[in-house]
Amino acid sequence: MTAKWSSLRSFSVMSSDTSRDGVEAAQDKPPVEEKLVNHGIEEKIPNPAVEEKIPNESAVAAVTPGSGSDTDEVLRGPNGEEYPTKEELDTLRRVKGPINWIIYTIAFVELCERFAYYGTTAVFVNFISEPLPPGSTTGAGGTDLQAGALNKGQQASTGLVLFNNFWSYVMPLLGGWISDTYLGKYKTIHMAVLLAMLGHIILIVSALPPVLANPNGALGCFSIGLIFFGIGVGFFKANISPMIAEQYERQQPRAIIKVLDSGERVVVDPVLTISVIYMRYYFFINVGSLVGSIAMVYAEKYVGFWLSFVLPTALFIFCPFLLLAFKNKYTRNPPTGSVLGKAIGLIGLSMRGRWSLNPITTIKNMREPGFFERVKPSNIPEAERPVWMTFDDNWVDEVRRGWKACSVFLWFPLYWLAYNQLNGNLVSQASTMILKGVPNDVVNNLDPIALLIFIPIVDKFIYPALRRAHINLTPIKKVTLGFALSTVSMVVAAVIQHYIYMQSPCREISGYGYIDGCRDALGLPADAPESAYKPPLTVWIQTPAYITIAFAEICSSITGLEYAFTKAPKNMRGFITGVFWFSQAFSAAISQAFVPLAVDPYLVWLYVTIAILSALGGVGFWFNFAKLDREEEALNALPDSLFKGSRNQGEDFAALEAQKAEQEKIRHAQGLDKNPVIDS
């Protein structure tokens, strides 16, 4: 062990008389002589010229009585910024900080990637399930005919679409780990673009007219393309969202006080600002999704599937060039080496002697109080510590917080079940109603349209109004609301499906629940008007289902990204974001169990079952995490660990110890060291 790591290990031996959140009470420490250092990412300890900016003792004002803190001075940063007291955190209105323009360049890169992804996947259902229209070699059906290519049916299309969802969202686990350990987020994103580009090219080949002439061969080529396509998408998703938030984190790492022109004192909250950044980031996602999906659906319908795959690929090429153009302006945190093994080792060490063949007993042992407290270095004699325990107590707190985030994400597959219907069964449902020339796979763009309308309204009006009313809509509350909204969307879909069955012209011939092949059952020609073989229901009655799913995304999907970033250890953000996206992969795997229901006459039961699961998931989610919800402030204010990872060993530990003491002083002034984090 190097001398530097010996220094870190010796520093990690602290008093065992700690609060349950693992932070030693600052009132037991002597006053810190140094003024506070703004500890942003990659920021070094100030030189003497910078230190001259730090207010001296005579410039520090007294904290007003009743602040909730027993310190007698205002806490300030190196440039005179004032940190809020406990009373100010509890009572002052919170506002977002300024958002640097460089953040929007990363958001635009995501827009291009989402254009490519959704523009490509929007046509998957028709490409797989529908036959080539009469006289067409490209799959284009024109105004009157249904676009199609492989003629494999709804079950095949549902299965392959779900596989693509699964594969694309399991790959973020690997992509996040690679970026945390070896490449960093910036380089991993470039690798992701190259892999996804290869997948796009193979998909283009599968849609060329000579290949479509052999549907089985085209399907095989298409499936190989999905493999590379999904790897690239997964690597990209694990890293682009944490990278965008890290640009702001460097700018303002902690909450400060600001006096508005009106004279109102407010708290500029970095966590709130990151939440706003992710709202706007999601807006960019849906601009790309909307434009890509609509444009490619019309390309499919009037030109052919090959064009639907070529145009997204062409735009995707711009991603690496845009990233290279602003490379020197980005915060590009380096990889830290493998820390995942240490995190897993902590859990294994705490579970020693507590494993059970009964899974309920094992889960109960994992949730018992003090689970992480007992494996902190300060609570283990140095001679008994494993050789891999080269971190401090604060990193254990960060791992515990990340573990809690992963526990939250375990419930997300039930939420994603409803969302997964957007690009599969709801598209097929649309094809059974009156379209009047509108492609059936363009209707699901009501979801991104609703998001583009309501994200600014929620961002600019609804959330600020709630904050002015001192209503704190925490992440756990938002996700619970998202479960409720996804339940409503599936109830709407079930009702629509029921009326499709009830009013189908084929009902008298085939019976309730049989609409597939209705035109043939009625003996109608291929060019018969759709009103002759479809129920008299306009496709736009699906609008409420899509709007409620959109609101569920605002509440749950955006919040999940925010939660992954703010709760993960700083050297595990890529991996924890991957865990969040893996919840969607797991949901896609669960959805495979519902494929037998994705046919007539069981579609009503499909939507009802998913609605029930979403409702039960929301209830279970709230009862599991209502207690954790009350600790949101303390979770966000944990002091930074000295442990950066195995690659970052050239640290100035004396300076880092001073920063740690300063963070604890701030936590004490804000009363957060008296609000222990739940450890169960």
Side-chain angles (χ1 to χ4, degrees):
M1 183 180 301
T2 66
K4 288 176 181 174
W5 286 113
S6 298
S7 172
L8 176 54
R9 291 189 66 175
S10 63
F11 178 74
S12 68
V13 183
M14 297 183 288
S15 167
S16 60
D17 184 19
T18 57
S19 61
R20 285 180 59 196
D21 69 343
V23 180
E24 187 174 13
Q27 64 265 34
D28 294 335
K29 292 177 177 273
V32 178
E33 294 294 334
E34 298 88 359
K35 290 301 171 186
L36 298 176
V37 177
N38 189 355
H39 60 291
I41 299 176
E42 297 181 348
E43 189 168 339
K44 305 300 183 183
I45 300 302
N47 58 37
V50 176
E51 288 174 348
E52 290 175 1
K53 299 180 182 179
I54 302 176
N56 57 32
E57 292 294 334
S58 61
V60 178
V63 175
T64 57
S67 67
S69 169
D70 53 6
T71 187
D72 60 353
E73 61 178 280
V74 171
L75 295 172
R76 295 187 182 274
N79 297 311
E81 62 268 28
E82 179 184 345
Y83 301 126
T85 63
K86 181 180 185 303
E87 181 182 351
E88 288 169 331
L89 283 174
D90 292 340
T91 60
L92 296 185
R93 183 165 65 94
R94 302 192 179 208
V95 299
K96 69 174 182 65
I99 299 175
N100 194 300
W101 65 269
I102 197 66
I103 287 174
Y104 294 104
T105 67
I106 301 176
F108 185 76
V109 170
E110 174 68 342
L111 182 154
C112 295
E113 190 274 339
R114 291 292 87 184
F115 177 98
Y117 178 81
Y118 282 106
T120 300
T121 59
V123 301
F124 278 1
V125 171
N126 286 345
F127 181 78
I128 300 166
S129 65
E130 302 294 335
L132 279 170
S136 174
T137 60
T138 63
T143 302
D144 298 323
L145 298 179
Q146 174 67 52
L150 303 184
N151 194 26
K152 299 300 181 181
Q154 183 171 345
Q155 278 190 300
S157 70
T158 299
L160 281 170
V161 167
L162 288 175
F163 167 77
N164 177 65
N165 288 341
F166 173 80
W167 185 243
S168 297
Y169 290 104
V170 77
M171 281 295 103
L173 282 173
L174 179 59
W177 177 76
I178 288 174
S179 71
D180 289 340
T181 306
Y182 297 112
L183 298 179
K185 297 175 183 65
Y186 181 80
K187 291 181 180 178
T188 306
I189 289 171
H190 279 286
M191 183 172 70
V193 171
L194 292 176
L195 289 167
M197 191 68 66
L198 177 60
H200 277 284
I201 292 171
I202 297 175
L203 292 178
I204 292 171
V205 172
S206 73
L208 295 176
V211 180
L212 289 181
N214 179 3
N216 291 332
L219 181 63
C221 183
F222 177 83
S223 300
I224 293 172
L226 287 185
I227 300 295
F228 290 99
F229 180 74
I231 295 173
V233 168
F235 281 24
F236 191 93
K237 293 188 76 66
N239 293 286
I240 195 73
S241 60
M243 182 174 167
I244 198 171
E246 285 177 347
Q247 309 308 306
Y248 179 77
E249 183 184 51
R250 179 180 184 181
Q251 177 182 333
Q252 184 191 334
R254 63 166 69 95
I256 61 173
I257 293 292
K258 179 181 179 180
V259 180
L260 303 180
D261 293 340
S262 63
E264 180 187 5
R265 286 171 62 84
V266 295
V267 175
V268 181
D269 188 345
V271 176
L272 169 60
T273 309
I274 288 172
S275 178
V276 171
I277 288 171
Y278 276 126
M279 288 277 285
R280 297 179 184 181
Y281 166 77
Y282 211 74
F283 183 89
F284 274 76
I285 285 175
N286 283 279
V287 170
S289 166
L290 178 64
V291 177
S293 298
I294 292 178
M296 296 315 104
V297 164
Y298 278 95
E300 155 215 57
K301 188 169 182 63
Y302 292 102
V303 180
F305 288 97
W306 68 267
L307 185 63
S308 298
F309 294 156
V310 166
L311 293 179
T313 307
L315 184 62
F316 196 39
I317 293 174
F318 285 101
C319 288
F321 294 106
L322 189 60
L323 288 170
L324 288 170
F326 295 102
K327 175 181 178 181
N328 294 331
K329 294 186 179 295
Y330 293 139
T331 294
R332 292 178 287 118
N333 294 329
T336 59
S338 180
V339 297
L340 179 61
K342 294 178 185 291
I344 295 173
L346 274 176
I347 296 169
L349 184 61
S350 187
M351 283 296 294
R352 185 176 294 172
R354 294 175 175 85
W355 296 102
S356 172
L357 293 176
N358 185 337
I360 296 177
T361 302
T362 298
I363 293 172
K364 183 179 178 181
N365 290 339
M366 286 183 171
R367 301 185 64 179
E368 66 183 0
F371 181 80
F372 283 94
E373 186 71 23
R374 60 175 169 252
V375 291
K376 288 183 176 178
S378 63
N379 292 329
I380 300 176
E382 187 169 5
E384 299 177 14
R385 292 179 206 161
V387 294
W388 47 264
M389 189 171 279
T390 57
F391 42 79
D392 58 357
D393 283 7
N394 287 349
W395 194 71
V396 179
D397 286 327
E398 289 185 19
V399 171
R400 188 208 55 77
R401 184 178 63 184
W403 174 261
K404 292 296 180 185
C406 293
S407 300
V408 167
F409 299 151
L410 281 176
W411 290 81
F412 267 69
L414 295 177
Y415 157 75
W416 292 120
L417 282 175
Y419 176 83
N420 287 342
Q421 306 310 306
L422 276 177
N423 298 315
N425 289 313
L426 287 181
V427 173
S428 297
Q429 184 185 73
S431 69
T432 65
M433 294 185 281
I434 302 297
L435 294 167
K436 293 186 176 179
V438 177
N440 68 305
D441 44 5
V442 81
V443 180
N444 65 343
N445 286 287
L446 286 169
D447 172 67
I449 289 172
L451 285 165
L452 295 182
I453 294 171
F454 292 113
I455 282 178
I457 293 174
V458 172
D459 179 23
K460 294 290 187 180
F461 300 105
I462 296 178
Y463 282 171
L466 291 173
R467 290 194 293 269
R468 282 193 294 270
H470 297 285
I471 298 175
N472 186 19
L473 199 57
T474 58
I476 299 299
K477 293 185 180 73
K478 289 180 186 177
V479 174
T480 304
L481 182 58
F483 271 101
L485 290 167
S486 64
T487 300
V488 172
S489 71
M490 289 298 97
V491 170
V492 172
V495 171
I496 292 172
Q497 191 64 49
H498 169 70
Y499 278 97
I500 289 173
Y501 285 158
M502 286 292 293
Q503 299 187 28
S504 171
C506 291
R507 184 183 172 196
E508 293 184 0
I509 298 175
S510 303
Y512 174 88
Y514 291 94
I515 58 172
D516 190 30
C518 184
R519 183 173 54 192
D520 294 336
L522 295 173
L524 298 174
D527 59 350
E530 59 182 350
S531 59
Y533 59 89
K534 290 183 178 181
L537 300 171
T538 175
V539 72
W540 301 113
I541 64 174
Q542 285 187 317
T543 300
Y546 285 113
I547 289 178
T548 49
I549 287 179
F551 272 106
E553 288 180 72
I554 292 174
C555 292
S556 296
S557 303
I558 299 175
T559 303
L561 288 171
E562 169 197 339
Y563 207 73
F565 180 82
T566 58
K567 301 303 182 288
K570 289 187 177 180
N571 44 19
M572 293 182 66
R573 281 175 173 164
F575 180 78
I576 298 297
T577 302
V579 172
F580 167 71
W581 288 120
F582 177 73
S583 68
Q584 187 161 351
F586 191 70
S587 180
I590 296 174
S591 297
Q592 291 282 359
F594 296 103
V595 169
L597 292 178
V599 293
D600 295 333
Y602 307 117
L603 288 166
V604 172
W605 288 108
L606 171 70
Y607 298 124
V608 169
T609 301
I610 294 174
I612 292 171
L613 290 174
S614 295
L616 294 176
V619 173
F621 181 85
W622 175 252
F623 278 103
N624 263 275
F625 299 113
K627 192 176 180 183
L628 182 66
D629 182 61
R630 296 192 291 272
E631 308 301 329
E632 178 67 16
E633 195 78 59
L635 286 170
N636 291 332
L638 288 179
D640 292 336
S641 169
L642 303 184
F643 176 65
K644 305 301 180 184
S646 59
R647 286 197 176 187
N648 294 342
Q649 299 184 13
E651 299 286 352
D652 184 346
F653 287 108
L656 290 173
E657 289 171 19
Q659 288 187 355
K660 176 184 172 72
E662 290 158 0
Q663 291 179 57
E664 292 182 357
K665 185 177 180 181
I666 294 168
R667 283 172 52 81
H668 173 55
Q670 295 173 340
L672 295 172
D673 58 346
K674 301 172 184 177
N675 186 16
V677 173
I678 297 169
D679 193 26
S680 62

